[in-house]
Amino acid sequence: METVKRTLKYEFTADELRELSNQLANKNLELRQKEEAKKSVVAEFGSQITVCREQINSLSDKVAGGYEYRDVSCTVEWHTPCRNQKTIVRSDTGASWTEPMNDADFTLFNQWERKEAEAETEAEDEAEDDSNFLP
């Protein structure tokens, strides 16, 4: 007589089925938690990747174009070089250009009257200075 091993059907007892059910439930819970953690990590990396792409696009545009738009302080001389025109001077480079005044420029205040008054004051000051030098 000889003893051999064979793979045969085995039916679990009620206690074994209960234990397997608990293990299955625990593994199912563990799997869901890991999937949720994965979603969270993937979403975080996804947003980081999006930020990197946006920064790369912005830098690429600057390099390709050679410029960007920035807020730069400028001085405006109203009615210069003539009436209804304005001269704008960049404070960073000193570059200047002339533009026609638009409707909004005229409603700011009455620049022409102010400019004429300044010119009259300057002329009076010069005349006064000249009169001090007369013998």
Side-chain angles (χ1 to χ4, degrees):
M1 176 157 55
E2 181 179 353
T3 306
V4 292
K5 294 225 177 205
R6 291 192 176 189
T7 304
L8 303 173
K9 179 180 176 182
Y10 173 83
E11 293 194 23
F12 295 109
T13 65
D15 287 341
E16 289 173 326
L17 283 174
R18 192 172 23 258
E19 179 60 29
L20 289 171
S21 295
N22 285 338
Q23 289 177 9
L24 176 62
N26 288 336
K27 284 297 171 185
N28 193 24
L29 178 62
E30 181 182 343
L31 176 62
R32 285 195 323 250
Q33 289 172 339
K34 291 191 185 294
E35 286 174 339
E36 288 300 317
K38 176 185 171 186
K39 284 180 190 176
S40 176
V41 169
V42 167
E44 176 62 28
F45 276 106
S47 68
Q48 290 176 11
I49 288 169
T50 299
V51 167
C52 283
R53 281 191 179 128
E54 289 171 357
Q55 292 171 340
I56 288 169
N57 289 340
S58 175
L59 290 168
S60 294
D61 290 345
K62 290 174 185 176
V63 169
Y67 69 92
E68 72 176 345
Y69 286 97
R70 294 182 179 177
D71 289 334
V72 176
S73 290
C74 299
T75 57
V76 178
E77 296 179 43
W78 304 104
H79 300 287
T80 303
C82 60
R83 190 172 187 157
N84 300 332
Q85 288 193 343
K86 59 186 172 187
T87 299
I88 301 169
V89 181
R90 291 179 61 131
S91 62
D92 59 346
T93 63
S96 66
W97 65 95
T98 302
E99 295 178 359
M101 293 174 60
N102 58 38
D103 291 340
D105 294 333
F106 289 108
T107 60
L108 291 174
F109 52 90
N110 196 343
Q111 301 97 345
W112 180 251
E113 289 177 4
R114 180 175 164 192
K115 184 158 181 81
E116 285 180 333
E118 289 174 359
E120 286 176 9
T121 304
E122 287 176 12
E124 289 171 2
D125 289 345
E126 287 177 13
E128 189 175 303
D129 289 343
D130 290 343
S131 67
N132 290 338
F133 292 109
L134 292 177

